[in-house]
Amino acid sequence: MKERLKSWTLILLVASSLVQTYFLIYRLPGSDSVLTSETNYVKTESMGQEKKIENLVFPDKMLIHQGEKKHTVFYPGVAFYDLIYTRLESRSFNNFQRRSIQSADWARIRSENEGIELSFSGGVPVSLLERVMRLTPDSVFQGETINRIWIYIDEKNAKPHALFFSARGDVVYEANQFDMTVEDIRQHVNFGKNAPLYELVDNQYYIPVNDLETVQPVVYAGLFTTEQMQRNLFFDPGITRNIQEKDGSQIYTDSKRSLQIKQEQRWMSYTDPSAPGADGSSPIRDVLAAVDFVNQHGGWDASYQLKLRSSDEHRTTVMFQQYYGAYPVLDTPSFRFGTISLQIQQETASVYDRSLLYLKGGEQSSKKVMLPGGETLKKQLKTVGKGKTIRGLTPVYQPELTNDGLKLVPEWRVTLSDGSVAEIHAVPVTTASNTTQTQPDQGTKR
């Protein structure tokens, strides 16, 4: 009897010790553990907004085809763009059928039929597109990357069609079942009736028939400090050491990871060579991990659009393009701003590049300017093209640093057949001052 009592007493003592150890390790009550794997992301101080992947996947432009070779282009943030896209997100598409890209004369259909075309520059994997649109999972195109969605009315038989174009350029998938009628599509097309008209040139790009009025804002901006980024990126910032580079940049390292700060460019580059090996990498999980990493290590200061640059069994390269209002903000070698870039290996960030500058929200001033259109633009395109084929024309903002903010200068960005780019600048509406003062706000909605 005494031996059995001793055994039970020993068991109770061991169990009590295990419970106390558990409380000490996991700091209960509460749910945060003291022990954190070095491959997991640590929640750090809040520096910017958090976003979901659904906020980062959206078309770079929306084309409204009105028939009779009439077209309108809506850009993100424009009221009709947001209204139409929100409605399309709630529609369901299923029962997909694969077709060859050669199965129809798309140029003729585009010019003669009413419809809506969504352009995703660079393409979006279907598995990510399913997060923002109601696409019934379908093995026919589940592994595809889509760069265009085109919903139009076949005027001959008054039948609606919904097409999803592969980014490879050789295949199109038609949804044989979707809950949009001819009247639904026509109602959306009608939103473009009073908008500026565009002309399709060489079946490659669109130019406005007339000059395009836009704005040149000066926005409030702030600067992340080196200490903030150290606290956000190192498990123990106190053990980091500083290395001065010959080019003037500073490197902070804890012997495993490194943070390079380029003060003149106001740019940072973080690397983690200890990221897991590359076997079994999943592009979709890597993209979601990239969003989580940015959420917890700097956050978002504005609207950003996902650009999946490359993916293989070794790593996934992701870029997030910043938008201000309707236009993307350029990242140039002379002024690094407007993008957040990551390389992800097995859901862990091995490279993280971004500007230390961030938008506070609100504008100091704004003035109207004109992006050239029509014949004026055509002549300028011939000049900057220098005989090369033009593949794309996009309105963008070129950032310029001011005393306490950023001036965003509108321009046309021209993409040429050899991959090079050229710029066509906006011109003021008048020489007289037409600035307006505004108070800082909380930034863009998306």
Side-chain angles (χ1 to χ4, degrees):
M1 184 67 180
K2 288 183 179 181
E3 292 300 323
R4 182 177 296 178
L5 183 61
K6 289 180 181 180
S7 298
W8 279 108
T9 301
L10 181 59
I11 290 172
L12 288 173
L13 288 172
V14 171
S16 176
S17 177
L18 289 173
V19 170
Q20 287 178 338
T21 302
Y22 178 86
F23 284 151
L24 287 172
I25 292 176
Y26 291 95
R27 290 167 51 183
L28 297 177
S31 59
D32 294 334
S33 170
V34 171
L35 297 182
T36 305
S37 168
E38 291 195 352
T39 61
N40 291 333
Y41 303 145
V42 180
K43 183 68 176 177
T44 56
E45 66 175 290
S46 176
M47 295 168 62
Q49 304 172 17
E50 292 191 5
K51 290 186 180 293
K52 298 179 180 179
I53 186 63
E54 291 82 358
N55 305 125
L56 304 166
V57 177
F58 55 90
D60 53 276
K61 59 179 174 288
M62 179 183 293
L63 308 166
I64 306 298
H65 305 301
Q66 302 177 29
E68 301 178 346
K69 298 183 178 180
K70 295 180 180 179
H71 312 275
T72 294
V73 181
F74 291 139
Y75 295 101
V78 174
F80 284 138
Y81 171 105
D82 292 339
L83 175 61
I84 295 172
Y85 188 51
T86 299
R87 290 184 176 184
L88 292 180
E89 285 177 319
S90 66
R91 301 294 188 173
S92 60
F93 301 85
N94 52 65
N95 191 14
F96 292 91
Q97 179 181 357
R98 178 175 174 147
R99 297 169 54 183
S100 167
I101 197 71
Q102 308 297 332
S103 61
D105 184 351
W106 305 114
R108 180 188 60 79
I109 292 173
R110 182 183 286 110
S111 64
E112 296 179 358
N113 298 272
E114 293 181 312
I116 309 155
E117 186 176 349
L118 308 181
S119 170
F120 296 87
S121 177
V124 178
V126 169
S127 51
L128 286 179
L129 199 58
E130 288 173 350
R131 289 176 169 264
V132 295
M133 299 186 73
R134 295 173 60 189
L135 308 181
T136 302
D138 194 315
S139 59
V140 173
F141 83 139
Q142 188 67 33
E144 273 287 2
T145 296
I146 300 300
N147 65 359
R148 278 192 297 154
I149 300 175
W150 188 357
I151 302 168
Y152 74 93
I153 304 168
D154 185 342
E155 301 294 349
K156 290 183 179 180
N157 54 23
K159 179 182 178 182
H161 294 268
L163 305 169
F164 293 72
F165 289 78
S166 169
R168 298 198 314 270
D170 60 343
V171 176
V172 59
Y173 297 87
E174 180 163 9
N176 289 315
Q177 296 178 7
F178 63 104
D179 56 352
M180 290 186 72
T181 66
V182 167
E183 288 306 315
D184 291 332
I185 300 171
R186 191 159 284 143
Q187 183 185 63
H188 294 157
V189 170
N190 285 338
F191 290 137
K193 294 294 184 183
N194 297 319
L197 285 176
Y198 282 71
E199 176 186 351
L200 179 60
V201 179
D202 298 333
N203 206 33
Q204 290 286 339
Y205 58 95
Y206 294 81
I207 66 170
V209 172
N210 300 302
D211 292 351
L212 190 64
E213 184 179 295
T214 184
V215 295
Q216 177 177 291
V218 179
V219 297
Y220 292 95
L223 187 69
F224 291 137
T225 66
T226 300
E227 290 74 20
Q228 280 180 299
M229 299 315 302
Q230 281 186 277
R231 289 196 299 269
N232 268 266
L233 292 166
F234 293 102
F235 293 103
D236 185 359
I239 65 172
T240 61
R241 59 191 178 92
N242 173 256
I243 302 172
Q244 177 76 42
E245 292 289 277
K246 292 181 180 180
D247 62 0
S249 63
Q250 301 278 338
I251 294 180
Y252 300 85
T253 179
D254 62 357
S255 76
K256 290 183 179 180
R257 304 164 187 84
S258 67
L259 171 66
Q260 184 178 28
I261 302 292
K262 298 180 180 180
Q263 293 291 0
E264 288 189 1
Q265 293 184 311
R266 298 169 178 82
W267 188 260
M268 57 146 280
S269 182
Y270 167 80
T271 58
D272 182 4
S274 63
D279 294 338
S281 182
S282 166
I284 305 307
R285 289 199 299 268
D286 284 349
V287 168
L288 297 177
V291 176
D292 286 342
F293 190 89
V294 177
N295 280 340
Q296 299 176 12
H297 298 283
W300 315 84
D301 59 323
S303 174
Y304 283 81
Q305 181 189 55
L306 168 68
K307 304 280 189 181
L308 184 57
R309 288 305 190 198
S310 64
S311 181
D312 54 34
E313 68 272 19
H314 301 295
R315 65 182 61 84
T316 302
T317 302
V318 181
M319 187 188 84
F320 299 99
Q321 171 66 61
Q322 183 172 352
Y323 270 71
Y324 185 82
Y327 305 153
V329 182
L330 283 185
D331 180 2
T332 65
S334 59
F335 187 13
R336 302 302 313 274
F337 185 76
T339 61
I340 299 174
S341 300
L342 301 97
Q343 286 187 10
I344 307 293
Q345 294 179 197
Q346 286 193 16
E347 303 173 50
T348 301
S350 59
V351 177
Y352 177 41
D353 293 339
R354 70 178 296 164
S355 175
L356 295 173
L357 281 169
Y358 64 92
L359 302 185
K360 288 183 176 180
E363 298 178 359
Q364 301 176 34
S365 63
S366 178
K367 70 176 184 179
K368 293 180 181 180
V369 296
M370 287 288 188
L371 286 169
E375 293 302 318
T376 301
L377 179 56
K378 289 180 180 180
K379 291 177 183 178
Q380 291 179 301
L381 288 172
K382 288 182 180 180
T383 301
V384 301
K386 298 178 180 179
K388 300 174 184 176
T389 301
I390 295 173
R391 298 297 187 194
L393 182 70
T394 307
V396 300
Y397 278 123
Q398 177 88 281
E400 295 180 5
L401 195 63
T402 64
N403 289 334
D404 57 351
L406 286 174
K407 179 165 67 173
L408 301 178
V409 182
E411 64 181 38
W412 288 115
R413 186 170 179 82
V414 186
T415 304
L416 304 174
S417 55
D418 61 357
S420 61
V421 295
E423 294 82 30
I424 297 175
H425 301 288
V427 296
V429 173
T430 63
T431 55
S433 174
N434 54 2
T435 59
T436 57
Q437 297 296 321
T438 61
Q439 293 297 319
D441 57 28
Q442 297 304 310
T444 54
K445 180 180 178 182
R446 179 174 277 111

